[in-house]
Amino acid sequence: MGANLPVDVDRVRLELGRADGPAVSAAALLLTGAGRVRSGADLVARDQPGAPGDAVRHVGTPDGAEAVEVDLAALPDSTERVALCAWTGSGTLGRVTGLRLRLVAAGSGTVLAHFDMAPRSETALVAGELYRREGRWRFRAVGQGYDHGFAGLAADFGLTPGPARAPRPGPAPRPAPPARPQIRGEELLPADMGERLSLRKQQVATSLRKGGLTGVTARVILVLDASGSMSGLYAKGTVARVAERMAAVAALLDDDGTMQAWTFATRPARLPDLHLGELPEWLRLHVRVGQLGVIGRKKRPKSRADGQVDMRTVGIQNEEQKVIADVRAYVRDHPVPLPTLVLFFSDGGVYRSKEIERELRAAADEPVFWQFVGLGRSHYGVLEYFDTLPGRTVDNVGFFAVDDVDQVADPELYDRLLSEFPLWLGAAREAGVLR
């Protein structure tokens, strides 16, 4: 779930199969950049087998499975995503064994990706999606379930009750031979870390579903306070554990699981991008505060590994407005057709409230949501009451503080972390901040 890869062929087939259990039906939804259908014609299913222009068609496969064939080159520019949906007309998908999705090159029959799913109480799900990123098509394994059948799923993407009627389930397909699982960076993680990441991705998905979001994609940026007062939290490993927990957010939301990162104190510094497969080494090399090493009786700077920031240049004071400006400049200079979620961690000591307010007010018209998390009950200045300040296009800032983040369970942390992001997405789309 969450894995993705580029699609370098024009015609592909999304094949839905299963080993045993109730019959499972497949349909495709053609979605705009806002994640909505334009009309009922954007539903492609057994009873409505072709989209306008026949760029997407519902087809069968040699082994009796249901499938959707997509001509990516023929899709109109207004179609940014093609979501493959699955549902059963008999009980829950948990009764289906061996539920799987295959991405196949339509011309050669080559299997490009294979995604095994293990639903439980869901009666419908978005199995996977094709989506545009910077002018190129990619595929992402989604596996997000719904408890209200196909009609409930379709309604979330803007289908009216008439067109959202579930087509008739087809005959039970015959079993297909297993294919090799798709490998991505997280497969390189140590077993215990990989298990934590997998569970946390599910918990992130649950928190997003509570906010009415499924299948959403976003760029994720991590910002870590490295001021002098943070040294104890770094020494205890608290900050490293926070960063590991945030990697799960990027693993689920970001299309390639990569997270940009900054550290800051008196001055900001951009850290190397965090790639999932490099998580243990990234935490070891880059989650640091400023320090001097002691060699013999003389104080000398510790040697740095390639890519490491010289933390002495970052300083020890709190200058949040500078890193906010730095991240804003990066987003402007590296535009993507996605919202950006900034996860900003600090232990407080905020004293540049006017400058911070100026930056965040200016950022209200940008496709970025700023989620601040306080590590302790220190003074957070304007961040504590920014939500109440009028005069912004949308409320682009969330804030909460915890006494001891290590004592906050993952489900609670993700619920709090992601509670305001869905509200901002809706408001930003309505206001034209997101298109």
Side-chain angles (χ1 to χ4, degrees), residues 221-416:
I221 293 176
L222 178 66
V223 180
L224 298 174
D225 184 354
S227 59
S229 60
M230 288 282 295
S231 58
L233 293 175
Y234 279 88
K236 292 191 298 183
T238 297
V239 182
R241 288 188 289 273
V242 162
E244 182 184 337
R245 296 165 86 175
M246 295 308 103
V249 180
L252 192 73
L253 283 179
D254 199 285
D255 62 359
D256 59 4
T258 299
M259 183 164 59
Q260 286 73 49
W262 269 257
T263 188
F264 80 95
T266 311
R267 288 166 290 278
R270 186 179 171 192
L271 300 173
D273 289 354
L274 168 56
H275 305 284
L276 289 179
E278 302 168 0
L279 180 56
E281 189 71 354
W282 191 92
L283 295 174
R284 184 184 70 83
L285 290 176
H286 304 301
V287 181
R288 310 157 51 232
V289 288
Q291 57 190 18
L292 292 174
V294 179
I295 303 176
R297 294 186 177 180
K298 297 182 179 179
K299 289 186 177 181
R300 300 176 186 170
K302 286 185 176 179
S303 60
R304 298 192 305 279
D306 290 343
Q308 276 190 313
V309 170
D310 184 348
M311 296 301 294
R312 296 172 303 158
T313 66
V314 173
I316 60 172
Q317 295 180 345
N318 291 82
E319 298 280 354
E320 289 83 2
Q321 77 283 358
K322 294 179 182 178
V323 71
I324 293 170
D326 223 31
V327 172
R328 290 183 61 209
Y330 172 83
V331 172
R332 287 194 301 271
D333 294 343
H334 299 81
V336 295
L338 301 170
T340 296
L341 172 61
V342 178
L343 306 174
F344 196 116
F345 290 84
S346 169
D347 71 338
V350 172
Y351 70 100
R352 297 287 195 183
S353 286
K354 289 184 179 179
E355 292 89 343
I356 294 169
E357 179 180 343
R358 188 181 306 121
E359 287 290 339
L360 292 177
R361 279 188 179 278
D365 292 318
E366 298 167 353
V368 185
F369 184 73
W370 300 81
Q371 179 61 61
F372 291 87
V373 182
L375 302 177
R377 296 292 180 180
S378 184
H379 171 67
Y380 293 99
V382 68
L383 300 179
E384 296 185 85
Y385 56 85
F386 199 88
D387 276 353
T388 65
L389 295 179
R392 289 173 292 153
T393 306
V394 292
D395 182 3
N396 59 329
V397 174
F399 172 83
F400 67 91
V402 294
D403 287 322
D404 185 351
V405 69
D406 283 328
Q407 298 302 312
V408 180
D410 286 334
E412 179 186 348
L413 179 63
Y414 294 136
D415 277 356
R416 299 186 69 178

Side-chain angles (χ1 to χ4, degrees), residues 39-62:
S39 70
D42 284 339
L43 166 66
V44 177
R46 176 179 291 272
D47 288 353
Q48 188 170 303
D54 282 344
V56 182
R57 293 196 61 80
H58 186 281
V59 298
T61 67

Side-chain angles (χ1 to χ4, degrees), residues 22-25 87-93 95 123 167 169:
V24 178
S25 294
W87 73 96
T88 176
S90 177
T92 68
L93 287 168
R95 297 173 57 202
T123 51

